[in-house]
Amino acid sequence: DCRLRPDGSYCTGKGSTNPDLTAGVELIYAGPHCHAPTCLSMELYNADTGRLLCRMEPTRGQSDQLYDEHGFLAIPPCLWGNESEGLQAPGLLSLDTTLLSIKRNNNTLGHTGEMASWQMRGVVIPKSKITDPVQTPLVTGRRGSLRSTENEDNER
């Protein structure tokens, strides 16, 4: 029962922003967006726990072939879903979870308009659907790489 709002926007479902009714959101897609040629990596953290949710490094084009052209980047998303399909199960983020995004870029290359953003999709989980009160930890999806950030600055 989720009708269009009078202002034309979509709703997310009855009670979905009410913490008394909603356990949280299970993230199923997190796609980073940053601009070539300066983008080195992007990371998404649960700032409340320090847990790395998703880390991506762009794949740089290596040829003149379509979708692999020199000078272009491909940035695959992190995905979560059904384990029988080879994906990691999504974890539950509470409605008040604070997310932190870190983008690293090469500032020796001239490029105006530096920016970064995440496109994410999730499933709202009502409290009535939770059978296990222990929250499942959210970890990096199939195409993402979960990597320790310890001593990372020393490796660069």
Side-chain angles (χ1 to χ4, degrees):
D1 295 339
C2 186
R3 297 190 179 122
L4 282 174
R5 293 179 180 166
D7 67 356
S9 64
Y10 289 92
C11 62
T12 59
K14 280 189 173 180
S16 64
T17 60
N18 181 341
D20 293 331
L21 301 175
T22 303
V25 174
E26 288 184 344
L27 206 57
I28 58 171
Y29 172 96
H33 176 87
C34 54
H35 291 169
T38 61
C39 187
L40 299 176
S41 68
M42 284 185 63
E43 297 169 351
L44 183 66
Y45 288 89
N46 177 332
D48 301 328
T49 64
R51 179 183 289 273
L52 177 64
L53 305 178
C54 179
R55 181 177 200 288
M56 283 296 157
E57 292 182 10
T59 302
R60 301 188 184 284
Q62 302 293 315
S63 72
D64 292 327
Q65 299 297 311
L66 185 62
Y67 303 118
D68 189 41
E69 297 95 340
H70 291 286
F72 287 88
L73 297 180
I75 308 173
C78 289
L79 302 171
W80 299 268
N82 192 322
E83 292 176 278
S84 68
E85 296 175 350
L87 299 171
Q88 291 185 14
L92 186 67
L93 297 174
S94 65
L95 294 179
D96 62 351
T97 299
T98 303
L99 299 177
L100 169 68
S101 176
I102 297 175
K103 175 204 171 197
R104 291 181 177 83
N105 68 298
N106 179 349
N107 66 0
T108 63
L109 299 170
H111 189 271
T112 57
E114 280 305 318
M115 54 71 65
S117 64
W118 288 87
Q119 295 181 358
M120 293 182 261
R121 304 293 183 272
V123 177
V124 174
I125 305 298
K127 281 194 174 176
S128 62
K129 299 279 184 187
I130 299 295
T131 56
D132 183 358
V134 177
Q135 291 186 6
T136 306
L138 184 62
V139 295
T140 302
R142 180 180 181 199
R143 294 192 60 192
S145 60
L146 183 58
R147 191 172 80 129
S148 170
T149 57
E150 188 176 329
N151 298 322
E152 186 170 280
D153 292 331
N154 296 333
E155 295 173 6
R156 293 184 190 265

